[in-house]
Amino acid sequence: MDKKDSLDNVFKEEIKKPSDFKFGATVANAFDDMVERSVPFYNEIQRMIIELAIEHALPNTNVIDLGCSTGTTMIGLNPYVAENIKFIGVDDSAEMLKKCDVKLKQADFKRNYELVQADLHEDIKIENASVVILCLTLQFVRPIFREKLLKRIYNGLVPGGVLIISEKILAEDSLFNRNFIKYYYDYKRRNNYSEMEISQKREALENVLIPYKLSENFKMLKEAGFPHTETFFKWYNFTGFIAVKN
């Protein structure tokens, strides 16, 4: 693939009527560049997720990445956990999984792994998991299905297992919410996104990315059965948090 094809030019040209954002072939090819330029401290968030996962990944269990996209987290975690841990990457985009499989093979991935095309709104199988990861994924699950998904994850975790989430969120107060969004768009401008790109992507995401407040996420996790949730990262309207099953 030409290197320019892997750059995020998805919204560079004017679109008369942007449709809802979809993780198709165009986005899959540009995804790694997109998240590095669109998500503040993305590489650091990945490093932190991997560190936390290392602490909790148990031999002879599964590590499940829900919304695995191109496999970055699995590739980063692979060298540091027991070889008898199976990695399961789940995504509803066939194009993302195809890109993920290519990257895993390029990384000389030897461990047992499975890539599953599945919709997180459906009854996906989660079992014998010591670590489940939702990296910038829960925000795309329709609100009515989120509690059910979190309960399914809780039930599929082994005792002491963890759910690691990174997420775009709303501020608790509307004033700060407006400020944080402004700072975020400033961040995107610093990463060479044009006003048109920012505007068109915002419109495309409007109906598919629905963020919650941090307090709302914590409440959902508690109601799903997790007794405690801890924040490990925060940058304006982006955060990372971890929940542990007793």
Side-chain angles (χ1 to χ4, degrees):
M1 181 190 300
D2 194 313
K3 187 175 180 180
K4 69 180 181 181
D5 292 333
S6 66
L7 298 178
D8 181 14
N9 295 315
V10 176
F11 294 98
K12 204 168 187 67
E13 302 299 326
E14 183 177 1
I15 302 169
K16 295 298 182 184
K17 186 179 180 183
S19 56
D20 286 350
F21 189 87
K22 290 183 175 62
F23 292 92
T26 302
V27 170
N29 289 333
F31 184 80
D32 291 341
D33 181 59
M34 179 182 289
V35 290
E36 286 188 25
R37 291 169 60 205
S38 297
V39 179
F41 295 96
Y42 178 73
N43 291 324
E44 181 66 8
I45 293 169
Q46 281 288 336
R47 188 190 64 78
M48 296 171 85
I49 290 173
I50 289 163
E51 283 181 337
L52 291 165
I54 290 169
E55 291 294 323
H56 297 277
L58 299 175
N60 298 304
T61 64
N62 297 321
V63 169
I64 304 176
D65 188 354
L66 299 176
C68 65
S69 62
T70 64
T72 297
T73 308
M74 292 189 289
I75 291 169
L77 181 60
N78 180 51
Y80 301 107
V81 298
E83 291 181 2
N84 58 14
I85 293 174
K86 180 179 179 180
F87 284 9
I88 301 173
V90 180
D91 208 288
D92 69 350
S93 168
E95 290 83 0
M96 280 289 194
L97 291 176
K98 182 178 178 181
K99 178 81 171 180
C100 178
D101 200 38
V102 168
K103 282 179 60 177
L104 293 179
K105 287 180 169 61
Q106 289 174 341
D108 198 26
F109 219 71
K110 293 288 197 289
R111 90 169 49 245
N112 184 20
Y113 74 91
E114 182 181 2
L115 299 181
V116 179
Q117 185 178 0
D119 186 342
L120 296 186
H121 299 96
E122 305 295 334
D123 289 332
I124 59 169
K125 184 170 72 172
I126 299 172
E127 58 186 14
N128 191 36
S130 56
V131 177
V132 175
I133 298 164
L134 284 165
C135 182
L136 303 169
T137 300
L138 189 60
Q139 61 200 27
F140 288 104
V141 176
R142 292 193 294 279
I144 194 172
F145 292 98
R146 291 185 194 183
E147 288 184 24
K148 185 178 179 182
L149 173 62
L150 293 177
K151 286 177 181 175
R152 191 178 301 124
I153 292 169
Y154 180 86
N155 291 334
L157 284 167
V158 300
V162 298
L163 170 58
I164 304 172
I165 300 176
S166 65
E167 191 83 342
K168 191 175 183 182
I169 60 166
L170 297 172
E172 300 292 330
D173 181 271
S174 59
L175 168 63
F176 289 107
N177 201 53
R178 287 193 297 273
N179 288 344
F180 290 176
I181 291 171
K182 174 183 177 295
Y183 304 151
Y184 175 50
Y185 292 151
D186 287 343
Y187 169 86
K188 296 185 82 167
R189 293 181 187 101
R190 292 195 300 272
N191 281 324
N192 299 314
Y193 282 112
S194 68
E195 297 301 322
M196 183 170 66
E197 287 176 288
I198 293 170
S199 175
Q200 292 191 149
K201 187 172 184 182
R202 180 176 64 237
E203 188 173 345
L205 285 169
E206 187 174 13
N207 296 318
V208 292
L209 194 164
I210 302 172
Y212 275 11
K213 297 176 182 177
L214 189 56
S215 61
E216 292 172 327
N217 280 297
F218 279 22
K219 182 174 182 288
M220 275 198 309
L221 287 162
K222 193 171 188 64
E223 290 175 348
F226 293 97
H228 178 68
T229 304
E230 188 69 38
T231 302
F232 64 84
F233 174 85
K234 182 77 166 66
W235 185 96
Y236 294 135
N237 54 344
F238 284 84
T239 189
F241 41 98
I242 180 170
V244 185
K245 178 176 179 176
N246 282 343

